[in-house]
Amino acid sequence: MTRVALAFSGGLDTTVCVPLLKEEYGYDEVIGVNVDVGQPTDEFDEAEETADALGLDLHVVDAKTEFADLCFDAVKANATYQGYPLGTALARPVIAESILEVAVEEGCDAIAHGCTGKGNDQLRFEAVWRGSDLEVIAPVRELGLTREWEIDYAAEKDLPVEAGDGGVWSIDENIWSRAVEGGELENPDYEPPADIYEWTAEPDGETTIEVTFEAGVPVAVDGEEMGPVALIQHLNEHAGAYGVGRTDVMEDRMLGLKVRENYEHPAATVLLTAHQALEDLVLTKNERSFKAGIEHEWAEKAYEGLVFAPLVDALDAFIDETQETVTGTATVKVSGGSCRVVARDSAYAVYSEEMASFNTEDVAGIAQEDATGVAKYHGLQERLANGVAASVSAPELATDGRGDASGDE
Ligand code: ARG
């Protein structure tokens, strides 16, 4: 008996994979694994119905908590890729690992996905799976299947696929983001119609939302403590009602293709905005500027589905070191579809109102006139380079054409 575990969502691609894994690849048994990272519940019901009709043994794994924790790592890293908060990208390694665990427990010989050869997900899944001894199979890619071929094949085999297969848009949803692509959206010059949005209302009204962080991790909203999954779900609904968190990006995919993708991510927008605002208050300038480079690397690796990379562990170690003081609150105002910080507070603020104020004199033994020496030196190299340093006589200055040094024509 040979057995293969298939990442099964109940969509057209994964449905046609079930008979193909037996017919074309010769496996005796196929088991399906559907991993819950916060897809809508009707997707699970549909997957279960489809599995029943196919006679497929379907395992459902709840990975929402693990996924939410990873989303909070992304918050600590202020991570976005080309403006997108990485929902799909962060979910894939979590899904891949859950499926692999089931495959190993069930004594499978192989593991399969229904991704095409054009997207990022094939790479994200296989980056995890190819570390195991199981054979990795990608029927859609390996057999060069097209959507039309799949629809004909499903009709011929009488497979339980719904006509239209979920409508014109290709949608990928989890608690961190809802991604919409395909159909007319493939034309970058086409404005998305209102009906692509499900999480965000047309902007109307305004409110403020206060987020409490402990060591960089969101722990409460408007004073109410919540666990990671509940907190994200609450903010998606609450901020989504104010139209917050829509992005329309020309996304550079891992294989080099540029693809137009629309996203909704109200919770991610609120949490990333609030977290950044709190960091702005408690981190030093040097920490902030160095961390920006770390964040860029983190987001790139996350986009590639490589959050388990040793590099990411090292980046996380740096990030965690900076997060000790990211404790306090930040308040954002959501209005007109925008989200901006309006207040922040922390016991660890690298800030002295007394020092920054225009109305105080000596503070910590520093008087206003102490800045005179600094002011004399500031820009010295620039003045020398431009040949305008007052204390250096003109003939000593370089006259090689930089600026308008005196003595030069
Ligand atoms: N472009 C995003 C990524 O690769 C999301 C992909 C899934 N999107 C979709 N609408 N099916 O991370």
Side-chain angles (χ1 to χ4, degrees):
M1 275 288 276
T2 54
R3 185 181 277 184
V4 53
L6 168 68
F8 187 80
S9 66
L12 178 65
D13 291 316
T14 56
T15 298
V16 301
C17 282
V18 176
L20 287 172
L21 286 165
K22 294 181 181 166
E23 289 168 12
E24 298 293 323
Y25 291 87
Y27 284 92
D28 298 315
E29 199 187 339
V30 183
I31 61 167
V33 188
N34 196 0
V35 182
D36 183 358
V37 283
Q39 304 88 317
T41 43
D42 53 348
E43 273 187 28
F44 289 98
D45 299 341
E46 277 167 33
E48 224 142 286
E49 277 170 36
T50 308
D52 278 349
L54 285 166
L56 177 75
D57 173 21
L58 183 64
H59 297 244
V60 180
V61 182
D62 183 355
K64 286 198 293 293
T65 302
E66 202 187 331
F67 178 52
D69 288 344
L70 184 57
C71 294
F72 283 0
D73 285 349
V75 170
K76 290 196 266 181
N78 296 320
T80 56
Y81 176 82
Q82 299 183 338
Y84 143 56
L86 295 159
T88 303
L90 292 169
R92 292 306 182 238
V94 173
I95 294 171
E97 266 168 41
S98 298
I99 297 172
L100 181 59
E101 270 171 37
V102 174
V104 170
E105 273 168 29
E106 295 292 316
C108 291
D109 309 281
I111 190 161
H113 63 68
C115 306
T116 70
K118 292 200 175 179
N120 295 321
D121 289 341
Q122 51 174 341
L123 307 179
R124 295 170 179 151
F125 278 126
E126 293 181 39
V128 173
W129 292 350
R130 288 185 185 278
S132 77
D133 295 330
L134 304 187
E135 198 189 331
V136 175
I137 307 173
V140 176
R141 179 182 74 205
E142 289 161 12
L143 304 172
L145 308 188
T146 61
R147 228 180 143 68
E148 280 99 78
W149 187 92
E150 291 178 359
I151 290 167
D152 290 346
Y153 177 78
E156 185 192 307
K157 293 268 162 189
D158 201 18
L159 300 177
V161 290
E162 279 180 44
D165 193 41
V168 279
W169 319 117
S170 162
I171 293 166
D172 182 69
E173 190 169 327
N174 58 53
I175 52 172
W176 204 231
S177 70
R178 181 172 175 273
V180 188
E181 65 180 10
E184 280 182 281
L185 292 170
E186 284 173 2
N187 173 6
D189 200 26
Y190 170 77
E191 184 179 342
D195 73 4
I196 72 161
Y197 303 110
E198 275 187 14
W199 288 12
T200 52
E202 282 307 312
D204 184 28
E206 67 172 38
T207 193
T208 54
I209 303 174
E210 183 199 69
V211 184
T212 307
F213 293 86
E214 264 171 32
V217 177
V219 293
V221 174
D222 293 323
E224 195 185 325
E225 283 187 25
M226 291 178 218
V229 176
L231 190 147
I232 293 168
Q233 287 171 334
H234 167 71
L235 281 179
N236 277 333
E237 276 187 29
H238 186 40
Y242 294 88
V244 162
R246 288 183 182 177
T247 46
D248 178 340
V249 298
M250 288 311 304
E251 187 175 308
D252 292 302
R253 284 201 178 155
M254 285 152 73
L255 293 177
L257 296 171
K258 208 181 262 297
V259 175
R260 198 268 188 98
E261 189 99 49
N262 276 269
Y263 295 100
E264 294 182 280
H265 39 75
T269 297
V270 168
L271 293 174
L272 289 165
T273 305
H275 179 266
Q276 178 75 67
L278 191 56
E279 278 196 345
D280 294 349
L281 180 67
V282 301
L283 298 187
T284 61
K285 174 181 172 169
N286 288 337
E287 286 175 299
R288 287 169 71 181
S289 63
F290 190 79
K291 186 167 180 280
I294 300 282
E295 290 167 356
H296 178 77
E297 286 302 316
W298 200 100
E300 289 284 324
K301 292 306 117 187
Y303 187 71
E304 292 167 16
L306 299 178
V307 281
F308 51 83
L311 173 64
V312 176
D313 289 342
L315 300 177
D316 277 335
F318 173 84
I319 291 168
D320 281 341
E321 180 72 24
T322 63
Q323 297 301 291
E324 278 168 26
T325 56
V326 186
T327 294
T329 59
T331 303
V332 297
K333 178 164 277 182
V334 288
S335 91
S338 83
C339 172
R340 64 194 172 84
V341 62
V342 291
R344 65 293 260 169
D345 183 41
S346 172
Y348 301 98
V350 180
Y351 179 76
S352 159
E353 192 170 346
E354 210 187 357
M355 278 187 142
S357 169
F358 299 116
N359 292 321
T360 47
E361 290 181 348
D362 297 15
V363 182
I366 305 171
Q368 207 180 143
E369 60 265 29
D370 288 334
T372 306
V374 179
K376 283 182 179 171
Y377 273 103
H378 185 64
L380 176 61
Q381 290 200 355
E382 287 69 26
R383 292 192 294 276
L384 283 168
N386 292 337
V388 292
S391 59
V392 182
S393 60
E396 288 174 46
L397 289 168
T399 55
D400 60 359
R402 245 211 254 227
D404 10 89
S406 54
D408 211 340
E409 303 233 280

